[in-house]
């Protein structure tokens, strides 16, 4: 029993005290490293949009900025496409598209410029909404 007590006292003397300045500095630096790793992983996840890779059932086909905090988006759910309005406080379903927009293929040579894809979406949106609001416009386009 005595040898166990002596070894326990000897090991207690070799451990560092929390009041030792090098120990406090070591703990502080370790905490900074852990917090830095957390922020780095959060930045990487946000940068590469890791959360969107989970499901193929729902995806954003196109989006257009309508204001400082407002967007108009076309989302595809299964085989249906819906036009929605997104603000900082609300998401509103605007319309179900009767004719689906083409889903852009990533890595396609023609879609390298962001402006051209936004212009194409804008033209398709205007045409789709013109046909929805004024059905005569849609029939005139089909006749030509």
């Amino acid at each position: 029993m005595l040898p166990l007590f002596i070894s326990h006292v000897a090991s207690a003397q070799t451990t560092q005290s929390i009041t030792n300045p090098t120990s406090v500095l070591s703990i502080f630096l370790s905490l900074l490293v852990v917090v830095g790793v957390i922020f780095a992983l959060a930045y990487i996840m946000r940068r590469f949009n890791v959360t969107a890779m989970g499901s193929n059932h729902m995806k954003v086909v196109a989006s257009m900025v309508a204001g400082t905090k407002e967007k108009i988006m076309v989302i595809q759910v299964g085989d249906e496409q819906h036009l929605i309005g997104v603000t900082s406080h609300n998401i509103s379903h605007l319309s179900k598209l009767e004719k689906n927009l083409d889903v852009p293929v990533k890595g396609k040579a023609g879609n390298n410029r962001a402006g051209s894809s936004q212009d194409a979406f804008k033209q398709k949106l205007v045409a789709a909404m013109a046909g929805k609001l004024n059905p005569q416009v849609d029939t005139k386009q089909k006749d030509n």
Side-chain angles (χ1 to χ4, degrees):
M1 180 84 170
L2 187 59
L4 291 176
F5 179 74
I6 294 173
S7 66
H8 185 350
V9 172
S11 67
Q13 291 175 352
T14 59
T15 59
Q16 295 181 353
S17 171
I18 190 94
T19 58
N20 188 356
T22 58
S23 173
V24 172
L25 183 63
S26 173
I27 292 171
F28 182 71
L29 290 176
S30 298
L31 180 64
L32 283 179
V33 168
V34 169
V35 170
V37 167
I38 290 171
F39 277 111
L41 289 175
Y43 174 77
I44 289 170
M45 288 181 68
R46 189 174 214 189
R47 177 83 171 132
F48 294 110
N49 200 11
V50 174
T51 57
M53 292 182 192
S55 174
N56 290 332
H57 301 291
M58 192 166 56
K59 59 184 162 185
V60 176
V61 174
S63 68
M64 182 176 77
V65 176
T68 56
K69 294 183 179 181
E70 297 86 18
K71 286 185 180 181
I72 298 173
M73 303 174 85
V74 175
I75 60 169
Q76 183 164 349
V77 181
D79 293 333
E80 298 178 346
Q81 289 185 350
H82 298 272
L83 183 68
I84 60 171
V86 180
T87 66
S88 60
H89 300 291
N90 196 6
I91 298 175
S92 301
H93 183 264
L94 301 176
S95 171
K96 178 183 179 238
L97 299 182
E98 294 174 9
K99 290 173 43 180
N100 287 351
L101 299 178
D102 295 331
V103 178
V105 178
K106 291 184 179 179
K108 194 174 179 183
N111 289 342
N112 287 342
R113 290 182 18 213
S116 65
S117 65
Q118 289 177 353
D119 291 338
F121 169 67
K122 192 181 295 185
Q123 291 170 356
K124 289 179 183 179
L125 178 63
V126 168
M129 291 307 292
K132 183 83 170 172
L133 297 175
N134 189 2
Q136 295 173 351
V137 173
D138 198 27
T139 57
K140 287 180 185 176
Q141 289 178 353
K142 289 179 183 177
D143 292 339
N144 291 339

